[in-house]
Amino acid sequence: DRKSEKFQTWPIPSEMNKANTQVNMTSPWNIAVDGKVWSQNNGFAGIHRIDLKTGRWETWEPFKASPQGHNIYDVVADSKNNAYFTDIGREHVGRIDAKTGEITMFATPTKDSGPRRGMMDDQDRLWFGEYRANAIAMFDTKSSEFKEWKLPLGWANPYDVTVDKNGHAWIVGLPLRAPISTPTARYTNSAWALLPPSESSQRYDKRHLVPFGEFVPPLFQWFVQRMQIPLGDFARGAAQQPPLQWRGQRIAVNICFEDLFGEELARDFQQPDAAPTLLLNLSNLAWFGDTVAIHQHLQIARMRSIEFQIPTIRATNTGATVVIDHQGRVVRSMPGQTRGVLLAEVQGREGVTPYAAGVGLLECDGRPSFPQILGVDLRHVDSVVPLNKYVGPGTLDDLDDDSVFL
Protein backbone atom coordinates (compact mmCIF):
# COMPACT_ATOMS: atom_id res chain seq x y z
CA ASP A 1 0.00 0.00 0.00
CA ARG A 2 1.75 3.15 -1.21
CA LYS A 3 -0.07 5.36 1.29
CA SER A 4 0.66 3.32 4.40
CA GLU A 5 3.92 1.95 2.96
CA LYS A 6 3.00 -1.50 4.28
CA PHE A 7 3.17 -4.86 2.53
CA GLN A 8 0.59 -7.63 2.71
CA THR A 9 1.49 -11.14 1.59
CA TRP A 10 -0.45 -14.28 0.73
CA PRO A 11 1.84 -17.31 1.22
CA ILE A 12 1.45 -20.22 -1.16
CA PRO A 13 -0.02 -23.26 0.66
CA SER A 14 2.61 -25.84 1.54
CA GLU A 15 1.11 -28.50 -0.76
CA MET A 16 1.56 -26.10 -3.70
CA ASN A 17 4.94 -24.78 -2.62
CA LYS A 18 7.03 -27.41 -4.36
CA ALA A 19 10.80 -27.47 -4.82
CA ASN A 20 10.44 -26.07 -8.34
CA THR A 21 7.79 -23.43 -7.54
CA GLN A 22 8.55 -20.12 -9.24
CA VAL A 23 5.82 -17.50 -9.13
CA ASN A 24 6.88 -14.51 -11.20
CA MET A 25 3.78 -13.09 -12.91
CA THR A 26 0.54 -11.78 -11.39
CA SER A 27 -2.54 -10.18 -12.95
CA PRO A 28 -4.48 -7.97 -10.49
CA TRP A 29 -5.85 -5.55 -13.08
CA ASN A 30 -9.50 -6.66 -12.84
CA ILE A 31 -9.59 -7.56 -9.18
CA ALA A 32 -12.75 -5.45 -8.79
CA VAL A 33 -14.77 -8.10 -10.66
CA ASP A 34 -14.55 -10.84 -8.01
CA GLY A 35 -11.75 -9.92 -5.59
CA LYS A 36 -9.41 -12.57 -7.03
CA VAL A 37 -5.92 -12.38 -8.50
CA TRP A 38 -4.35 -14.71 -11.07
CA SER A 39 -0.74 -15.81 -10.88
CA GLN A 40 1.52 -18.01 -12.97
CA ASN A 41 3.88 -20.72 -11.71
CA ASN A 42 6.79 -21.24 -14.05
CA GLY A 43 8.16 -24.11 -11.98
CA PHE A 44 5.54 -26.67 -13.02
CA ALA A 45 3.56 -24.86 -15.75
CA GLY A 46 0.69 -24.01 -13.45
CA ILE A 47 -1.80 -21.20 -12.89
CA HIS A 48 -2.90 -20.04 -9.43
CA ARG A 49 -5.84 -17.91 -8.34
CA ILE A 50 -6.16 -16.45 -4.87
CA ASP A 51 -9.20 -14.96 -3.19
CA LEU A 52 -7.73 -12.01 -1.35
CA LYS A 53 -10.59 -11.89 1.17
CA THR A 54 -10.52 -15.52 2.24
CA GLY A 55 -6.91 -16.34 1.33
CA ARG A 56 -8.06 -19.44 -0.58
CA TRP A 57 -5.76 -20.65 -3.35
CA GLU A 58 -6.78 -22.59 -6.46
CA THR A 59 -4.43 -24.26 -8.93
CA TRP A 60 -4.74 -25.37 -12.57
CA GLU A 61 -2.13 -27.49 -14.39
CA PRO A 62 -3.15 -27.33 -18.07
CA PHE A 63 -0.28 -29.54 -19.28
CA LYS A 64 -0.15 -32.10 -16.47
CA ALA A 65 -1.19 -34.92 -18.80
CA SER A 66 1.39 -34.02 -21.47
CA PRO A 67 4.06 -31.78 -19.94
CA GLN A 68 6.75 -32.30 -22.60
CA GLY A 69 7.98 -28.94 -23.81
CA HIS A 70 5.16 -26.84 -22.37
CA ASN A 71 5.74 -23.98 -19.95
CA ILE A 72 3.61 -21.01 -18.95
CA TYR A 73 5.27 -17.62 -19.17
CA ASP A 74 2.58 -15.00 -18.56
CA VAL A 75 -0.98 -14.76 -17.31
CA VAL A 76 -3.25 -11.81 -18.18
CA ALA A 77 -6.89 -11.22 -17.19
CA ASP A 78 -9.60 -9.81 -19.42
CA SER A 79 -12.33 -7.38 -18.31
CA LYS A 80 -14.38 -10.26 -16.79
CA ASN A 81 -11.28 -11.54 -14.95
CA ASN A 82 -10.99 -14.64 -17.11
CA ALA A 83 -7.36 -15.72 -17.25
CA TYR A 84 -5.35 -16.01 -20.48
CA PHE A 85 -1.90 -17.59 -20.34
CA THR A 86 0.95 -17.95 -22.84
CA ASP A 87 2.77 -21.24 -23.47
CA ILE A 88 6.34 -20.22 -24.31
CA GLY A 89 7.37 -23.86 -24.67
CA ARG A 90 5.10 -24.47 -27.66
CA GLU A 91 2.54 -22.34 -29.51
CA HIS A 92 -0.53 -22.04 -27.34
CA VAL A 93 -2.65 -19.41 -25.65
CA GLY A 94 -4.91 -20.82 -22.95
CA ARG A 95 -8.09 -19.52 -21.34
CA ILE A 96 -9.45 -20.31 -17.86
CA ASP A 97 -13.09 -19.35 -17.35
CA ALA A 98 -13.38 -17.33 -14.16
CA LYS A 99 -16.76 -18.85 -13.25
CA THR A 100 -16.47 -22.48 -14.30
CA GLY A 101 -12.69 -23.02 -14.21
CA GLU A 102 -12.86 -24.66 -17.65
CA ILE A 103 -9.62 -24.57 -19.67
CA THR A 104 -9.67 -23.92 -23.43
CA MET A 105 -6.53 -24.03 -25.57
CA PHE A 106 -5.87 -22.08 -28.80
CA ALA A 107 -2.91 -22.71 -31.13
CA THR A 108 -1.19 -19.79 -32.85
CA PRO A 109 -1.09 -19.82 -36.67
CA THR A 110 2.69 -20.27 -36.54
CA LYS A 111 3.84 -23.57 -35.06
CA ASP A 112 6.33 -23.44 -32.17
CA SER A 113 5.89 -19.66 -31.96
CA GLY A 114 6.84 -19.38 -28.28
CA PRO A 115 4.23 -16.89 -26.96
CA ARG A 116 5.91 -14.86 -24.24
CA ARG A 117 4.80 -11.72 -22.39
CA GLY A 118 1.51 -10.00 -23.20
CA MET A 119 -1.08 -7.39 -22.36
CA MET A 120 -4.85 -7.05 -22.69
CA ASP A 121 -6.19 -3.92 -24.40
CA ASP A 122 -9.50 -2.21 -23.65
CA GLN A 123 -11.22 -4.31 -26.34
CA ASP A 124 -10.23 -7.56 -24.60
CA ARG A 125 -7.65 -8.38 -27.23
CA LEU A 126 -4.53 -10.16 -25.99
CA TRP A 127 -1.29 -8.85 -27.49
CA PHE A 128 1.92 -10.83 -27.02
CA GLY A 129 5.38 -11.43 -28.42
CA GLU A 130 6.02 -14.62 -30.37
CA TYR A 131 9.56 -15.20 -29.24
CA ARG A 132 10.57 -17.89 -31.72
CA ALA A 133 8.30 -16.88 -34.59
CA ASN A 134 9.92 -13.43 -34.87
CA ALA A 135 6.51 -11.80 -34.72
CA ILE A 136 4.02 -10.04 -32.52
CA ALA A 137 0.50 -11.40 -32.33
CA MET A 138 -3.00 -10.40 -31.28
CA PHE A 139 -5.64 -12.84 -30.05
CA ASP A 140 -9.20 -11.53 -30.14
CA THR A 141 -10.80 -13.14 -27.09
CA LYS A 142 -14.31 -12.48 -28.47
CA SER A 143 -13.86 -14.06 -31.90
CA SER A 144 -11.04 -16.48 -30.90
CA GLU A 145 -9.03 -15.33 -33.94
CA PHE A 146 -5.30 -14.62 -34.16
CA LYS A 147 -3.47 -12.02 -36.20
CA GLU A 148 0.31 -12.00 -36.57
CA TRP A 149 2.79 -9.36 -37.74
CA LYS A 150 6.23 -10.59 -38.75
CA LEU A 151 9.15 -8.38 -37.75
CA PRO A 152 11.50 -7.18 -40.51
CA LEU A 153 14.59 -8.42 -38.66
CA GLY A 154 15.10 -12.15 -38.79
CA TRP A 155 16.42 -12.67 -35.26
CA ALA A 156 14.66 -10.09 -33.07
CA ASN A 157 12.98 -12.57 -30.63
CA PRO A 158 10.19 -10.18 -29.53
CA TYR A 159 9.77 -10.37 -25.77
CA ASP A 160 6.83 -8.11 -25.03
CA VAL A 161 4.20 -5.95 -26.71
CA THR A 162 2.61 -2.67 -25.70
CA VAL A 163 -0.25 -1.23 -27.71
CA ASP A 164 -0.68 2.41 -28.63
CA LYS A 165 -4.23 3.19 -29.69
CA ASN A 166 -3.22 6.69 -30.85
CA GLY A 167 -1.08 5.56 -33.77
CA HIS A 168 2.17 6.82 -32.24
CA ALA A 169 5.53 5.41 -33.25
CA TRP A 170 7.68 3.80 -30.56
CA ILE A 171 11.47 3.93 -30.71
CA VAL A 172 13.48 1.48 -28.63
CA GLY A 173 17.19 1.02 -28.05
CA LEU A 174 18.60 -2.47 -28.50
CA PRO A 175 21.47 -4.37 -30.14
CA LEU A 176 20.76 -5.14 -33.80
CA ARG A 177 22.71 -7.25 -36.24
CA ALA A 178 25.19 -5.04 -38.06
CA PRO A 179 24.58 -4.45 -41.78
CA ILE A 180 28.29 -5.15 -42.31
CA SER A 181 29.71 -7.33 -39.55
CA THR A 182 33.05 -8.89 -38.65
CA PRO A 183 33.77 -11.99 -36.55
CA THR A 184 34.29 -9.79 -33.48
CA ALA A 185 31.74 -7.05 -34.23
CA ARG A 186 28.44 -8.53 -35.32
CA TYR A 187 25.95 -6.18 -33.64
CA THR A 188 25.28 -2.47 -33.39
CA ASN A 189 24.01 -0.38 -30.49
CA SER A 190 20.90 0.88 -32.22
CA ALA A 191 17.63 2.74 -32.07
CA TRP A 192 14.78 1.02 -33.85
CA ALA A 193 11.63 2.89 -34.86
CA LEU A 194 8.54 0.68 -34.60
CA LEU A 195 5.99 2.10 -36.98
CA PRO A 196 2.45 1.02 -37.95
CA PRO A 197 2.26 -2.20 -40.00
CA SER A 198 1.70 -0.18 -43.19
CA GLU A 199 5.13 1.45 -42.88
CA SER A 200 8.66 0.07 -42.89
CA SER A 201 10.69 0.09 -39.69
CA GLN A 202 13.69 2.39 -39.49
CA ARG A 203 16.92 2.22 -37.52
CA TYR A 204 19.88 4.25 -36.40
CA ASP A 205 23.20 2.60 -35.47
CA LYS A 206 25.44 4.32 -32.95
CA ARG A 207 28.60 5.55 -34.64
CA HIS A 208 30.72 6.95 -31.79
CA LEU A 209 31.43 3.99 -29.52
CA VAL A 210 32.74 3.99 -25.94
CA PRO A 211 36.06 2.14 -25.42
CA PHE A 212 35.77 -1.00 -23.24
CA GLY A 213 32.03 -0.39 -22.89
CA GLU A 214 31.19 -0.89 -26.58
CA PHE A 215 34.46 -1.95 -28.14
CA VAL A 216 37.87 -3.18 -27.04
CA PRO A 217 40.69 -0.86 -28.19
CA PRO A 218 43.59 -2.31 -30.20
CA LEU A 219 46.26 -4.11 -28.14
CA PHE A 220 43.82 -4.82 -25.30
CA GLN A 221 42.11 -7.91 -26.71
CA TRP A 222 44.64 -10.16 -24.97
CA PHE A 223 43.60 -8.78 -21.57
CA VAL A 224 39.91 -9.37 -22.21
CA GLN A 225 40.58 -12.90 -23.43
CA ARG A 226 42.88 -13.76 -20.52
CA MET A 227 40.39 -12.48 -17.96
CA GLN A 228 37.60 -14.33 -19.79
CA ILE A 229 35.46 -11.20 -19.79
CA PRO A 230 32.35 -11.74 -21.95
CA LEU A 231 32.91 -8.47 -23.78
CA GLY A 232 32.64 -8.16 -27.54
CA ASP A 233 32.85 -5.28 -29.94
CA PHE A 234 29.87 -3.43 -31.31
CA ALA A 235 30.17 -2.52 -34.97
CA ARG A 236 30.22 1.20 -35.72
CA GLY A 237 27.27 2.74 -37.48
CA ALA A 238 27.85 4.52 -40.77
CA ALA A 239 29.27 8.04 -40.46
CA GLN A 240 26.25 9.46 -42.29
CA GLN A 241 22.82 7.94 -41.77
CA PRO A 242 19.49 9.29 -43.01
CA PRO A 243 17.19 10.77 -40.37
CA LEU A 244 14.17 8.78 -39.28
CA GLN A 245 11.05 9.91 -41.12
CA TRP A 246 7.87 10.46 -39.11
CA ARG A 247 4.86 12.61 -40.01
CA GLY A 248 6.81 15.07 -42.10
CA GLN A 249 9.67 15.37 -39.62
CA ARG A 250 13.25 14.23 -40.13
CA ILE A 251 14.54 12.99 -36.77
CA ALA A 252 18.30 12.70 -36.22
CA VAL A 253 18.91 10.14 -33.48
CA ASN A 254 21.96 10.03 -31.26
CA ILE A 255 22.63 7.65 -28.40
CA CYS A 256 24.04 8.54 -24.99
CA PHE A 257 27.03 10.91 -25.17
CA GLU A 258 27.11 11.05 -28.97
CA ASP A 259 25.57 14.51 -28.70
CA LEU A 260 28.86 15.67 -27.17
CA PHE A 261 30.33 15.62 -30.67
CA GLY A 262 28.59 18.41 -32.55
CA GLU A 263 30.95 18.07 -35.49
CA GLU A 264 29.77 14.50 -36.04
CA LEU A 265 26.10 15.45 -35.87
CA ALA A 266 26.81 18.20 -38.41
CA ARG A 267 27.49 15.58 -41.08
CA ASP A 268 23.73 14.99 -41.30
CA PHE A 269 23.12 18.60 -42.39
CA GLN A 270 25.15 18.59 -45.61
CA GLN A 271 22.05 18.19 -47.80
CA PRO A 272 19.67 21.02 -46.80
CA ASP A 273 16.60 19.33 -48.27
CA ALA A 274 17.26 16.22 -46.16
CA ALA A 275 18.66 17.93 -43.07
CA PRO A 276 17.15 16.94 -39.69
CA THR A 277 14.29 18.98 -38.28
CA LEU A 278 14.55 17.43 -34.78
CA LEU A 279 17.26 15.86 -32.64
CA LEU A 280 16.42 12.82 -30.50
CA ASN A 281 18.77 11.60 -27.78
CA LEU A 282 18.28 8.21 -26.07
CA SER A 283 20.42 7.74 -22.96
CA ASN A 284 20.98 5.24 -20.18
CA LEU A 285 22.59 7.36 -17.46
CA ALA A 286 21.78 5.16 -14.47
CA TRP A 287 25.44 4.55 -13.65
CA PHE A 288 25.97 8.27 -12.97
CA GLY A 289 23.29 8.38 -10.27
CA ASP A 290 22.07 11.83 -9.24
CA THR A 291 25.34 13.62 -9.93
CA VAL A 292 26.53 16.60 -11.91
CA ALA A 293 26.94 14.32 -14.95
CA ILE A 294 23.16 14.33 -15.46
CA HIS A 295 23.06 18.11 -15.56
CA GLN A 296 26.21 18.34 -17.66
CA HIS A 297 24.70 16.06 -20.29
CA LEU A 298 21.60 18.23 -20.38
CA GLN A 299 23.74 21.30 -21.05
CA ILE A 300 25.52 19.45 -23.86
CA ALA A 301 22.16 18.71 -25.48
CA ARG A 302 21.12 22.36 -25.14
CA MET A 303 24.26 23.47 -26.94
CA ARG A 304 23.46 21.17 -29.86
CA SER A 305 20.02 22.78 -30.22
CA ILE A 306 21.64 26.21 -30.22
CA GLU A 307 24.24 25.22 -32.81
CA PHE A 308 21.75 23.61 -35.20
CA GLN A 309 18.74 25.79 -34.31
CA ILE A 310 16.38 22.82 -34.03
CA PRO A 311 14.62 21.28 -31.00
CA THR A 312 15.97 18.31 -29.06
CA ILE A 313 13.94 15.56 -27.40
CA ARG A 314 15.78 13.61 -24.70
CA ALA A 315 14.46 10.27 -23.39
CA THR A 316 16.40 8.83 -20.45
CA ASN A 317 15.85 6.25 -17.74
CA THR A 318 17.01 8.38 -14.78
CA GLY A 319 17.17 11.97 -16.12
CA ALA A 320 17.13 14.41 -17.67
CA THR A 321 14.08 13.64 -19.85
CA VAL A 322 13.28 16.98 -21.42
CA VAL A 323 12.20 18.90 -24.50
CA ILE A 324 14.56 21.65 -25.61
CA ASP A 325 13.54 24.33 -28.10
CA HIS A 326 15.67 25.62 -30.97
CA GLN A 327 17.23 28.30 -28.76
CA GLY A 328 18.46 25.84 -26.17
CA ARG A 329 15.72 26.49 -23.63
CA VAL A 330 14.21 23.63 -21.64
CA VAL A 331 10.48 23.98 -22.29
CA ARG A 332 9.25 20.73 -20.71
CA SER A 333 10.93 18.37 -18.27
CA MET A 334 10.26 15.39 -16.05
CA PRO A 335 11.86 15.02 -12.61
CA GLY A 336 14.88 12.74 -12.54
CA GLN A 337 14.82 9.31 -10.89
CA THR A 338 11.08 9.19 -11.62
CA ARG A 339 8.97 6.72 -13.60
CA GLY A 340 6.51 8.50 -15.86
CA VAL A 341 5.69 9.90 -19.27
CA LEU A 342 6.55 13.37 -20.55
CA LEU A 343 3.96 14.73 -22.98
CA ALA A 344 4.84 17.75 -25.09
CA GLU A 345 4.30 19.34 -28.49
CA VAL A 346 7.44 19.90 -30.51
CA GLN A 347 7.74 22.05 -33.63
CA GLY A 348 10.44 20.91 -36.06
CA ARG A 349 12.51 23.50 -37.93
CA GLU A 350 14.18 23.47 -41.32
CA GLY A 351 17.39 25.10 -42.44
CA VAL A 352 21.14 24.75 -42.00
CA THR A 353 23.11 27.08 -39.74
CA PRO A 354 26.59 28.34 -40.70
CA TYR A 355 27.94 26.15 -37.90
CA ALA A 356 26.33 23.01 -39.34
CA ALA A 357 27.45 23.81 -42.87
CA GLY A 358 31.03 24.72 -41.95
CA VAL A 359 31.79 22.11 -39.35
CA GLY A 360 30.07 19.31 -41.20
CA LEU A 361 32.05 20.09 -44.34
CA LEU A 362 35.47 20.39 -42.71
CA GLU A 363 35.18 17.85 -39.88
CA CYS A 364 37.35 14.85 -40.60
CA ASP A 365 37.49 11.48 -38.82
CA GLY A 366 35.96 12.81 -35.64
CA ARG A 367 38.83 15.27 -34.96
CA PRO A 368 37.97 18.81 -33.81
CA SER A 369 38.22 21.32 -36.59
CA PHE A 370 38.78 25.09 -36.49
CA PRO A 371 35.15 26.00 -37.31
CA GLN A 372 34.03 23.82 -34.42
CA ILE A 373 35.74 26.20 -32.01
CA LEU A 374 34.35 29.37 -33.56
CA GLY A 375 31.01 28.07 -34.80
CA VAL A 376 28.78 28.63 -31.75
CA ASP A 377 26.51 31.63 -32.25
CA LEU A 378 26.80 33.21 -28.81
CA ARG A 379 23.94 35.59 -29.53
CA HIS A 380 21.65 32.73 -28.60
CA VAL A 381 23.46 31.94 -25.34
CA ASP A 382 21.88 34.06 -22.62
CA SER A 383 24.40 33.21 -19.92
CA VAL A 384 27.52 31.08 -19.65
CA VAL A 385 28.09 29.54 -16.24
CA PRO A 386 31.52 28.05 -15.44
CA LEU A 387 31.19 24.42 -14.46
CA ASN A 388 33.31 24.94 -11.38
CA LYS A 389 30.61 27.20 -9.96
CA TYR A 390 28.20 24.25 -9.67
CA VAL A 391 27.46 23.40 -6.05
CA GLY A 392 25.83 20.10 -5.02
CA PRO A 393 23.76 17.68 -7.08
CA GLY A 394 20.46 19.56 -6.72
CA THR A 395 17.66 18.91 -9.21
CA LEU A 396 16.73 20.12 -12.65
CA ASP A 397 14.49 22.68 -11.00
CA ASP A 398 17.58 24.33 -9.52
CA LEU A 399 18.90 25.20 -12.98
CA ASP A 400 18.00 28.41 -14.75
CA ASP A 401 16.50 27.63 -18.15
CA ASP A 402 18.85 30.16 -19.72
CA SER A 403 22.10 28.87 -18.16
CA VAL A 404 24.52 26.84 -20.23
CA PHE A 405 27.48 24.85 -18.94
CA LEU A 406 30.55 24.75 -21.19
Side-chain angles (χ1 to χ4, degrees):
D1 188 306
R2 290 183 294 179
K3 295 181 180 179
S4 65
E5 297 185 351
K6 293 182 179 179
F7 288 94
Q8 185 175 359
T9 60
W10 291 266
I12 298 176
S14 57
E15 65 271 17
M16 301 180 189
N17 195 5
K18 304 177 183 180
N20 61 345
T21 290
Q22 184 183 15
V23 175
N24 49 18
M25 296 291 181
T26 59
S27 185
W29 316 120
N30 293 301
I31 188 176
V33 174
D34 53 15
K36 299 178 181 180
V37 172
W38 295 96
S39 180
Q40 156 267 22
N41 193 321
N42 183 266
F44 58 88
I47 297 292
H48 300 299
R49 182 172 66 173
I50 179 173
D51 187 318
L52 300 186
K53 186 176 181 179
T54 65
R56 178 174 177 263
W57 284 74
E58 301 171 89
T59 299
W60 287 261
E61 296 184 62
F63 307 113
K64 190 174 183 178
S66 56
Q68 293 81 8
H70 295 282
N71 204 351
I72 297 174
Y73 193 90
D74 202 2
V75 58
V76 184
D78 66 9
S79 61
K80 297 180 180 179
N81 213 21
N82 300 305
Y84 289 83
F85 57 88
T86 56
D87 174 18
I88 190 174
R90 294 286 184 85
E91 65 271 352
H92 299 93
V93 169
R95 178 184 186 271
I96 302 178
D97 188 284
K99 294 182 178 180
T100 67
E102 180 183 0
I103 299 175
T104 307
M105 303 299 297
F106 306 91
T108 62
T110 301
K111 187 175 177 58
D112 196 33
S113 59
R116 198 157 186 174
R117 185 171 293 183
M119 66 160 287
M120 193 75 67
D121 67 15
D122 56 7
Q123 300 179 51
D124 275 347
R125 298 179 301 180
L126 177 66
W127 297 79
F128 56 94
E130 293 186 320
Y131 191 69
R132 292 188 299 278
N134 199 50
I136 63 173
M138 181 272 290
F139 177 68
D140 190 322
T141 64
K142 297 176 182 178
S143 65
S144 299
E145 295 180 350
F146 286 93
K147 188 173 183 179
E148 295 178 326
W149 291 267
K150 295 290 184 180
L151 298 182
L153 306 172
W155 36 264
N157 301 113
Y159 180 91
D160 198 358
V161 179
T162 187
V163 180
D164 186 338
K165 62 184 179 182
N166 299 315
H168 293 162
W170 290 92
I171 298 177
V172 299
L174 74 170
L176 296 179
R177 187 175 295 276
I180 301 177
S181 61
T182 68
T184 59
R186 295 177 295 170
Y187 297 92
T188 54
N189 187 0
S190 303
W192 187 23
L194 304 176
L195 302 177
S198 60
E199 301 183 39
S200 301
S201 63
Q202 304 174 48
R203 65 187 280 178
Y204 165 79
D205 301 326
K206 189 178 183 188
R207 48 197 172 192
H208 199 117
L209 303 180
V210 178
F212 294 105
E214 294 172 317
F215 76 98
V216 180
L219 307 181
F220 282 92
Q221 289 285 353
W222 67 270
F223 175 78
V224 173
Q225 295 170 359
R226 187 175 186 113
M227 297 300 293
Q228 297 184 343
I229 300 174
L231 177 66
D233 288 350
F234 275 115
R236 296 181 185 273
Q240 287 185 279
Q241 301 178 52
L244 305 184
Q245 305 287 330
W246 176 244
R247 293 188 175 179
Q249 300 298 322
R250 298 183 292 272
I251 306 172
V253 179
N254 55 83
I255 297 174
C256 202
F257 273 89
E258 281 192 306
D259 59 357
L260 176 63
F261 306 97
E263 71 279 7
E264 295 183 5
L265 302 186
R267 296 167 177 163
D268 298 330
F269 290 82
Q270 296 315 296
Q271 297 181 6
D273 293 341
T277 59
L278 293 170
L279 295 174
L280 171 62
N281 176 266
L282 308 174
S283 293
N284 171 11
L285 302 176
W287 21 52
F288 294 107
D290 187 17
T291 66
V292 68
I294 304 297
H295 309 289
Q296 183 186 47
H297 197 189
L298 172 60
Q299 305 311 316
I300 290 170
R302 294 176 63 190
M303 286 301 300
R304 299 294 83 83
S305 279
I306 293 171
E307 291 168 347
F308 300 116
Q309 290 289 285
I310 60 176
T312 294
I313 302 172
R314 299 190 74 237
T316 71
N317 54 350
T318 57
T321 295
V322 301
V323 173
I324 304 169
D325 72 9
H326 67 286
Q327 293 185 335
R329 297 174 298 197
V330 176
V331 294
R332 293 296 297 272
S333 65
M334 191 173 76
Q337 309 292 327
T338 302
R339 178 181 295 180
V341 177
L342 179 63
L343 299 177
E345 292 186 1
V346 182
Q347 177 65 54
R349 291 171 60 88
E350 293 186 323
V352 178
T353 64
Y355 173 85
V359 175
L361 184 63
L362 298 178
E363 188 273 336
C364 178
D365 297 329
R367 295 191 296 269
S369 59
F370 184 68
Q372 178 189 1
I373 300 172
L374 300 182
V376 179
D377 186 348
L378 293 179
R379 290 175 298 175
H380 296 292
V381 182
D382 299 304
S383 61
V384 178
V385 182
L387 188 59
N388 59 12
K389 292 292 183 69
Y390 179 83
V391 180
T395 67
L396 292 180
D397 296 333
D398 299 328
L399 299 176
D400 189 316
D401 281 345
D402 293 327
S403 64
V404 176
F405 288 102
L406 295 176

